[in-house]
Amino acid sequence: MVNAPRSARHGALLVGTVAVLGLLTACGNGKDVHSNPPITASGTAAPATGTTQSPTSATSVPASASTGAVSSAPSKAAPSASGGGTTAAAASSRCHTSELSASVGRNDPGAGQENFPVVLTNRSGRTCTVRGYPGAAFESASGSQLGADPKRESGSPSTITLRPGQSAWAGLTFSNPGISGARTATPAALLVTPPDERDSLKVTWTGGAVPVSGNSSSVFLSVFSPGTAP
């Protein structure tokens, strides 16, 4: 075997070294996506790291938080009732239609007016309250309403406590039709609705003719007072 000259062997070694270095350089300039960590985008989609807080929804942070102001939760408004001034506890003690009976007292006429007390009596086994005005309507034998709904007289409602068996009354008044000249009808019943209730109580009407249209045909109701009569 013939040995190559020393200078030729040295040149071949240099060429091999340069080739290896070029290959390593080319690999170093490229990105190896398998060895480098994945790149994450900024924003709410990025995973939280360290002590970074996770994003909070806009509805859970009050607008005043950016200014340092303290925001308090809104308070619940107390339910209202006719006549005003009642609390939630008073509303829960209200007498319901099913706990009451209704009656119409004796007429007490005077100065051309007919005056009837409309009485509600607590027939339940618990103490309850009434406050304000009753609802009322005259009804014919066929069940149709006679005349317009009664109007309310001015007055100051007060809460009346009714123990079992106790009563409260409200005045039902109208001008005597013989004096006012109003057209009349004779009701078969009076429907009475307790304050803040929807169901009515039917009372047989024995008070004779009532005004239903024409001059001075309005019927008026007063606020409840304790007892059964004026």
Side-chain angles (χ1 to χ4, degrees):
M1 178 178 180
V2 179
N3 290 328
R6 187 173 187 177
S7 59
R9 291 198 307 268
H10 181 68
L13 180 60
L14 288 176
V15 171
T17 302
V18 171
V20 172
L21 289 176
L23 180 60
L24 292 175
T25 301
C27 293
N29 289 338
K31 291 182 179 179
D32 187 352
V33 294
H34 298 288
S35 59
N36 291 335
I39 299 174
T40 56
S42 60
T44 56
T49 58
T51 58
T52 304
Q53 295 180 350
S54 60
T56 306
S57 63
T59 55
S60 64
V61 179
S64 59
S66 60
T67 61
V70 178
S71 175
S72 60
S75 59
K76 293 183 179 179
S80 62
S82 63
T86 59
T87 63
S92 66
S93 67
R94 184 180 77 242
C95 296
H96 300 293
T97 302
S98 60
E99 300 174 308
L100 299 168
S101 62
S103 61
V104 177
R106 180 178 57 86
N107 184 20
D108 184 21
Q113 291 289 114
E114 309 300 321
N115 305 294
F116 295 86
V118 177
V119 181
L120 293 180
T121 301
N122 180 8
R123 63 182 184 85
S124 73
R126 73 177 185 105
T127 297
C128 58
T129 62
V130 294
R131 177 186 176 88
Y133 299 83
F138 292 113
E139 188 179 73
S140 69
S142 63
S144 60
Q145 181 172 332
L146 298 174
D149 292 337
K151 300 178 180 180
R152 292 179 174 183
E153 293 181 343
S154 60
S156 299
S158 60
T159 300
I160 301 171
T161 300
L162 300 180
R163 291 192 292 273
Q166 291 187 326
S167 302
W169 69 277
L172 184 150
T173 65
F174 52 85
S175 296
N176 185 303
I179 298 174
S180 68
R183 189 170 70 85
T184 66
T186 301
L190 178 70
L191 299 180
V192 181
T193 308
D196 298 312
E197 292 290 300
R198 293 184 179 274
D199 296 329
S200 299
L201 299 166
K202 180 179 288 191
V203 182
T204 300
W205 179 256
T206 59
V210 300
V212 293
S213 66
N215 295 333
S216 300
S217 61
S218 295
V219 178
F220 294 89
L221 289 167
S222 68
V223 297
F224 275 107
S225 298
T228 57

